[in-house]
Amino acid sequence: MEPSQKTLAQAIEEHQGKIVGFCVGWFLIVTIPSLIIVSSYNDECVDEYLINLETFLYVPSGIIIIFICIYGCSVNCSKMNIPCDGFIKIMNMISCILVLFFLNWGGIGFYIYCVEMDNECHQESISKMILSWCIIIYIGLLLLFSFIAYIICSNYNNNAGNLSQNENDPLIQSLV
C-alpha cells in the first residue's frame, strides 16, 4: 500500500474527533433546553401517554450527559498517555447502540406528539420541546450519516484506481 493511501477504517479514525465533536455539540443543543423545560414542567398535560412526558426528556438527556462525561474522560486519558484504547473502542460501540436508541426514541416522541396528545397539550412547552427534541435528533443523525458517507466516498475516490490494494480492507469489502 502506498503511503498516501488509507484504509476506510483509518479514514474514519482520522475524522473521529470531528465526528465526536459534532455529536457532543449537537446533542448538547437539545439536552440543555430539555432539562430546563422539564424541570419547570408542572403537569399541564395530564393524560396517560406511552411514556411519561418528563421521563421522555429526562432519559435521553441523562444518557447524553453521562456518555459525554465518560467519553471525555477516556479521550483525556489517552491524551495523557494512559492506555485506554480498548475502553475508547467500547465507547465507540456504545455510541453506535445509542444512535439506534435515539432513532427509536425519536419515533416514540413523534408517536406521543402526533397520536396521543390533544391540541390543548400541543400548546404546552413540554410538548413543543418533545417535538423539537425529535426533529433536532433526527436532523443531527441525518447530518452524522451524511458526514460518514462523505468520508467513505472521499476515501473510495482517493483510492479508486487502486482497488486491488484495498482488497484486505474489511470495510471496503463489506460495501462491495
Side-chain angles (χ1 to χ4, degrees):
M1 184 181 301
E2 296 176 16
S4 63
Q5 291 183 331
K6 296 179 271 190
T7 65
L8 187 55
Q10 290 169 334
I12 290 175
E13 188 174 324
E14 178 182 309
H15 294 285
Q16 182 176 1
K18 294 176 187 173
I19 294 171
V20 171
F22 167 78
C23 290
V24 167
W26 194 265
F27 286 138
L28 283 178
I29 287 171
V30 72
T31 298
I32 294 169
S34 294
L35 291 175
I36 291 170
I37 287 175
V38 77
S39 66
S40 64
Y41 175 65
N42 55 11
D43 291 331
E44 292 97 1
C45 301
V46 293
D47 293 338
E48 290 292 320
Y49 299 106
L50 181 64
I51 297 173
N52 180 298
L53 301 181
E54 293 169 303
T55 304
F56 181 85
L57 292 175
Y58 273 133
V59 168
S61 298
I63 290 172
I64 289 168
I65 290 171
I66 291 168
F67 182 79
I68 288 171
C69 291
I70 293 172
Y71 197 88
C73 289
S74 65
V75 169
N76 287 333
C77 286
S78 68
K79 288 183 179 182
M80 296 185 319
N81 295 326
I82 299 172
C84 59
D85 290 338
F87 186 71
I88 291 176
K89 287 181 182 178
I90 291 171
M91 293 301 291
N92 289 339
M93 288 187 276
I94 291 172
S95 66
C96 292
I97 293 169
L98 287 178
V99 165
L100 296 174
F101 169 77
F102 287 131
L103 280 171
N104 288 315
W105 202 255
I108 292 170
F110 280 128
Y111 175 80
I112 291 172
Y113 185 84
C114 296
V115 176
E116 293 187 344
M117 286 186 186
D118 58 11
N119 287 336
E120 185 178 308
C121 192
H122 284 171
Q123 303 306 315
E124 301 300 329
S125 62
I126 195 161
S127 65
K128 292 176 184 176
M129 188 66 233
I130 288 173
L131 180 62
S132 300
W133 187 92
C134 296
I135 291 170
I136 291 170
I137 290 297
Y138 274 27
I139 290 171
L141 292 174
L142 177 67
L143 291 173
L144 176 65
F145 293 143
S146 299
F147 186 65
I148 292 172
Y150 168 76
I151 293 170
I152 291 170
C153 291
S154 65
N155 187 64
Y156 183 77
N157 287 338
N158 290 340
N159 298 328
N162 303 309
L163 281 179
S164 62
Q165 294 182 1
N166 286 328
E167 289 176 355
N168 296 330
D169 189 347
L171 289 173
I172 292 283
Q173 292 304 314
S174 68
L175 296 173
V176 175

